[in-house]
Amino acid sequence: MRMLIALTLWVATTVSALAADPILIGLNYPRTGHYKEEGLAQMRGALLAIDEINAQGGLLGQPIKLLTRDTASRPEKAIRNVEKLVEEGAVMLFGSVSSAVAIAASERARQLNTIYFATIGYSNDVTGKNGHRYVFRESTSATMTGRALGKYLSEKFPNKTYFYVTADYTWGHSSEQALRENTNTSDTSKHKGVLLPFPTAKQSDHNSTLKQAQDSGADIIVLVLYGHDLVRAMRTAETMGLTKKVQIIAPNLTQSVIEQAGPGLMAGVIGTEHWLWRAPELEKSEAGMAFVKNFNKAYELYPPSAAASAYTVVKQWADAVTRSKTTNSEAVIKALEGHDYTLLKDAAQWRAFDHQNIQTVYVVQANSRNDVMAHPSKQDYFTILERVEASQAAQSQEQWQEDRAKAGKPNRLQ
C-alpha cells in the first residue's frame, strides 16, 4: 500500500512538473556549413540529456525545452542567434565547434548577462585572453592538447623534423604554438610551416600547402586542421603519396572526422580526444557506459566527443541549477566555479579562475579499416596510446595570468 501511494505521488509530481511552463535553453550550433556533423552530434547529446532530466521530473519542478539556431559556423550569425535566443527566453546558451564562434557568441551572451558554454572550441583564447565570467568551456584547450600530444611524440618520435599546415584562425594559431612548445619544434627555420586560409580554403590551397610539406622533407606533418578542411587535406596527402611516407598528426582527431573521411584514409593518424566511447570502460564509469548504451539505442550510433560534451553541459548546468535553486546566471556561475564532478569518464573540474574544464586527455591513433570493420559496431575508430591526466596537461594559474597580461586583460575574469 505504501509503495502504491509513493508511486502515485511520484507520478503526480512528474505530471505536474511536465505540465509547468518549461525552462528554455538555447543550442547555438552548426546545422549547416563547416562542422555540421559535429553540430548534429551536439544536438543528439543535448536531447538525450534533456529527455533524461525531464523523465525524472524536470528541473526545479519544470521541464526543460531546447531552442535551437544554426550558426553555419559564422561568428556574426552566432551573435544574432544569441540575441534571438535570449529574447525568446533562453536562460542558458551553449554550442560551438569553431573557436571564433565560441568567442563571439559568448561575448554577446556576457553583454546580455547570460551564461554560455563553449561545447567544442579548442583555442586557448576561449578561456584565455577572451575569457570572461559568463563563458565556460567543456572541451580541452590547445594547451592541454599540445602538452598531452607533445609528451607522447617527444618520447616516441625524438629528433624528428616537423612541418605544420595550420588553419589561419585563433584555434589553428594557438594549437600550433602549443604543440611546437611541447615538441621542441619552435625553430621555424628547421621546422617550417604554412597557413591555410580559413574558412575559405580552396582545393588549390590544399594542393599548395601539402606540396610545400612534401618538399620540406619533414618526418612528421602536422595538420592543424579540423572537420572538412582536415578531410580534404588528408585526401590531398593520400593522392600525393604522403600518407604512406610520413607520420601525420592531427591535434584534435575526432570520430566525426574519421566518419567523414572513411577509416581507410585516416588509418595511422595520431591526435588527441577529450572523450571517446571507449573511455567510460577504461575509466570504469558506469554513467559513461550507460550514456554510450542509451545513445546507441536512441540513434543506432556510438557517441562522438561532441555529443558527450553537449550531454555533459546540459547535465552539469542542471546540477548547478539544482544546487543553487535558481536559473539565474550569476548564481549558477558561482555554483560551477571550482566544482568537482564525475560523469562520463573520470573526475573533472570546472576551474574557478578561468572556467576551463580540467579533465583527462587521451592520445589516440586511428585504427586501420580492417580493425574498424572487424568490430560489431563498425565504429571502433581509435586505439588509446596514452592517458594524460589533467594535472600534467592543464595550464597553471600563473601562466594563464601571464598570457592575460600580455593581451592587456585583467588577471581575473570579469
Side-chain angles (χ1 to χ4, degrees), residues 300-315:
E300 298 183 347
L301 296 167
Y302 280 77
S305 56
S309 288
Y311 179 93
T312 298
V313 163
V314 174
K315 287 280 189 157

Side-chain angles (χ1 to χ4, degrees), residues 145-363:
T145 295
R147 287 184 176 178
L149 190 53
K151 178 178 181 294
Y152 179 82
L153 294 176
S154 296
E155 293 172 356
K156 302 298 182 181
F157 299 93
N159 305 315
K160 301 295 184 182
T161 54
Y162 286 57
F163 190 95
Y164 291 81
V165 177
T166 301
D168 190 11
Y169 78 113
T170 179
W171 167 73
H173 301 160
S174 60
S175 293
E176 177 182 339
Q177 180 183 352
L179 191 56
R180 282 185 181 274
E181 289 174 352
N182 288 281
T183 52
N184 195 30
T185 58
S186 294
D187 182 354
T188 56
S189 63
K190 180 180 180 180
H191 307 280
K192 301 181 186 298
V194 64
L195 294 175
L196 184 78
F198 181 87
T200 57
K202 302 174 183 177
Q203 185 57 50
S204 59
D205 296 315
H206 285 274
N207 294 341
S208 173
T209 55
L210 267 298
K211 183 65 166 59
Q212 292 178 63
Q214 183 180 50
D215 292 345
S216 73
D219 304 301
I220 294 175
I221 295 177
V222 184
L223 299 179
V224 193
L225 308 172
Y226 194 75
H228 180 63
D229 280 332
L230 178 54
V231 173
R232 289 176 70 186
M234 284 298 299
R235 288 173 179 159
T236 305
E238 182 184 47
T239 300
M240 297 171 66
L242 282 171
T243 55
K244 291 182 172 59
K245 294 179 180 178
V246 300
Q247 176 62 57
I248 294 181
I249 307 297
N252 294 106
L253 184 61
T254 66
Q255 177 175 320
S256 298
V257 165
I258 293 181
E259 289 173 341
Q260 291 174 62
L265 178 60
M266 301 301 293
V269 177
I270 294 173
T272 68
E273 262 286 34
H274 65 282
W275 191 89
L276 59 161
W277 64 264
R278 286 288 196 187
E281 185 177 3
L282 174 67
E283 306 294 354
K284 297 180 174 55
S285 167
E286 291 186 8
M289 288 186 278
F291 167 69
V292 172
K293 179 180 178 181
N294 293 336
F295 190 96
N296 182 254
K297 182 179 179 180
Y299 304 112
E300 298 183 347
L301 296 167
Y302 280 77
S305 56
S309 288
Y311 179 93
T312 298
V313 163
V314 174
K315 287 280 189 157
Q316 277 294 291
W317 170 78
D319 177 71
V321 168
T322 300
R323 288 185 287 112
S324 59
K325 298 181 175 60
T326 178
T327 60
N328 176 268
S329 287
E330 285 292 339
V332 173
I333 289 168
K334 291 178 182 177
L336 284 167
E337 288 181 330
H339 179 63
D340 296 298
Y341 71 96
T342 302
L343 186 58
L344 298 185
K345 51 177 187 180
D346 56 339
Q349 183 193 78
W350 297 103
R351 197 159 61 176
F353 72 80
D354 62 351
H355 293 183
Q356 171 63 48
N357 190 295
I358 303 302
Q359 57 180 290
T360 298
V361 185
Y362 305 98
V363 179

Side-chain angles (χ1 to χ4, degrees), residues 74-130:
R74 301 208 311 264
E76 68 280 3
K77 189 170 184 181
I79 290 171
R80 292 195 298 270
N81 290 348
V82 167
E83 295 168 348
K84 291 176 182 176
L85 289 165
V86 172
E87 184 179 336
E88 291 173 10
V91 296
M92 181 274 272
L93 304 176
F94 67 115
S96 63
V97 179
S98 161
S99 296
V101 165
I103 290 167
S106 68
E107 173 57 25
R108 185 62 182 125
R110 182 191 68 82
Q111 295 166 1
L112 297 172
N113 301 314
T114 304
I115 192 170
Y116 195 104
F117 289 87
T119 317
I120 301 289
Y122 303 104
S123 169
N124 282 341
D125 294 351
V126 175
T127 53
K129 71 177 185 180
N130 292 107

